[in-house]
Amino acid sequence: MKITVVGAGAVGATCADNIARKELAQELVLLDIKEGVAEGKAIDMMQTAALLGFDTKITGVTNDYSKTAGSTVAVITSGLPRKPGMTREELIGINAGIVKGVAENILKFSPDAIIVVVSNPMDTMTYLALKSLGLPKNRIIGMGGILDSARFKYYLSVALNCNSNDLQGFVIGGHGDTTMIPLTRYATYQSLPVSELLEQSVLDKVAADTMVGGATLTGLLGTSAWYAPGAAGAALVESIVRDEKKLFTCCVSLEGEYGQTDICLGVPVIVGRNGWEKIIDYKLTDTEQAAFNKSADAVRAMNNVLSDMKLV
């Protein structure tokens, strides 16, 4: 089993570190375009093996995709991170060319790989990969909803003063400050609906905080977050390579599901060895469906930029 992570920046390196610690593959390849960065981080991580007890071999390479040959999963984190005041939409022009080139190079050497997209704007980059690579739709997965759902559970845990591992909560829709939809109605604390424990005003604040969770961290850090995004990417990889059949919110191709077509958007899916295997219908209310449709409209507007640039 070999896994490739493209992009040795903060998110990519954190994702790789989590994959190695979990021993999800015999070999992990970390690739970056900047000379020496992937090699240095790979050596640094390998020097933790004796301390942490993992056996995964980590190899760092500079822009040599031949070293990624035979990868089961490839995680794409390449591209510019979002900076303070920058929207995900503004990243399209820069990151689209990067993501398309990376995905094409991966498939030259690993034609059967499952592609995990982390690069922003994630929904549009996932759509780009789907349209430009010609792969079966189940092999193209955007990570964003896993991260958004983890942030949702964090804010719920703060409001409830409880352990976030005791919570279930999903965020659907686009991976953006104005497009994600925290499903507070379905959130539970050890099977008990959180709506029975929290006032509606508190739930509304939790949802609002979740939606700007990424922007909040960008404002504090001066760049995009990396610990949770990296861990979210690794969690998705784990469900694939271990065929865990976990239910995650992932950005996938919709062909009529949730009332949308010709778009990649975050919905609950089962993730296993074949990639994403089944979309779960959460039976949205009219209000939730209207919000989902609005989210789709916003993402579709970003996708249209790809058409204008003749990338799809």
Side-chain angles (χ1 to χ4, degrees):
M1 179 76 70
K2 180 190 282 189
I3 295 169
T4 290
V5 177
V6 182
V11 173
T14 302
C15 181
D17 186 47
N18 277 273
I19 289 170
R21 291 180 188 226
K22 290 174 177 284
E23 295 186 314
L24 301 183
Q26 291 173 306
E27 182 178 2
L28 171 65
V29 177
L30 183 61
L31 183 148
D32 200 274
I33 195 171
K34 188 174 181 180
E35 186 73 36
V37 172
E39 290 89 340
K41 291 192 178 184
I43 292 170
D44 193 14
M45 280 185 264
M46 281 302 297
Q47 290 172 356
T48 72
L51 303 169
L52 300 174
F54 66 79
D55 298 316
T56 298
K57 175 186 175 183
I58 309 170
T59 303
V61 298
T62 300
N63 217 31
D64 183 0
Y65 284 86
S66 67
K67 297 294 195 299
T68 70
S71 293
T72 300
V73 182
V75 183
I76 302 176
T77 72
S78 310
L80 289 183
R82 190 162 57 133
K83 297 180 180 179
M86 180 186 287
T87 66
R88 287 181 169 88
E89 292 85 343
E90 291 170 333
L91 292 177
I92 294 175
I94 299 170
N95 286 353
I98 296 173
V99 170
K100 185 175 181 180
V102 166
E104 290 172 346
N105 279 317
I106 285 291
L107 291 177
K108 285 179 185 177
F109 298 97
S110 302
D112 297 323
I114 294 170
I115 304 296
V116 172
V117 180
V118 178
S119 305
N120 278 321
M122 192 274 310
D123 303 292
T124 296
M125 295 302 102
T126 305
Y127 182 77
L128 170 67
L130 177 74
K131 290 296 184 180
S132 62
L133 299 178
L135 294 178
K137 62 183 181 179
N138 63 291
R139 286 173 53 193
I140 305 288
I141 313 174
M143 176 279 294
I146 299 176
L147 172 60
D148 297 332
S149 297
R151 286 173 172 163
F152 181 34
K153 285 184 273 191
Y154 162 73
Y155 285 112
L156 280 172
S157 73
V158 172
L160 288 165
N161 192 27
C162 73
N163 190 316
S164 59
N165 291 303
D166 287 337
L167 295 166
Q168 284 292 330
F170 282 87
V171 176
I172 63 172
H175 179 55
D177 303 343
T178 61
T179 56
M180 69 179 73
I181 306 158
L183 291 178
T184 55
R185 180 170 62 94
Y186 279 113
T188 61
Y189 174 48
Q190 291 287 34
S191 301
L192 182 67
V194 297
S195 58
E196 296 183 14
L197 302 170
L198 297 173
E199 299 285 343
Q200 186 60 47
S201 60
V202 177
L203 276 176
D204 291 342
K205 185 177 187 306
V206 165
D209 288 344
T210 300
M211 293 176 71
V212 297
T216 298
L217 291 172
T218 300
L220 291 169
L221 298 168
T223 187
S224 298
W226 59 89
Y227 292 119
L236 178 52
V237 171
E238 183 173 16
S239 192
I240 294 169
V241 301
R242 290 185 172 161
D243 196 25
E244 291 181 332
K245 311 294 186 187
K246 282 194 172 180
L247 179 61
F248 284 130
T249 299
C250 295
C251 179
V252 301
S253 173
L254 300 182
E255 297 177 348
E257 299 92 348
Y258 286 87
Q260 296 294 328
T261 58
D262 190 30
I263 195 169
C264 292
L265 212 55
V267 294
V269 296
I270 301 297
V271 178
R273 184 62 186 81
N274 297 314
W276 68 269
E277 299 178 356
K278 181 181 180 182
I279 294 174
I280 304 300
D281 185 357
Y282 263 40
K283 307 296 183 185
L284 302 182
T285 64
D286 289 345
T287 299
E288 291 163 347
Q289 184 64 55
F292 190 82
N293 293 343
K294 183 178 179 181
S295 176
D297 290 342
V299 171
R300 194 169 280 112
M302 288 194 288
N303 293 349
N304 288 339
V305 177
L306 296 175
S307 300
D308 295 340
M309 297 171 64
K310 302 188 185 305
L311 286 168
V312 295

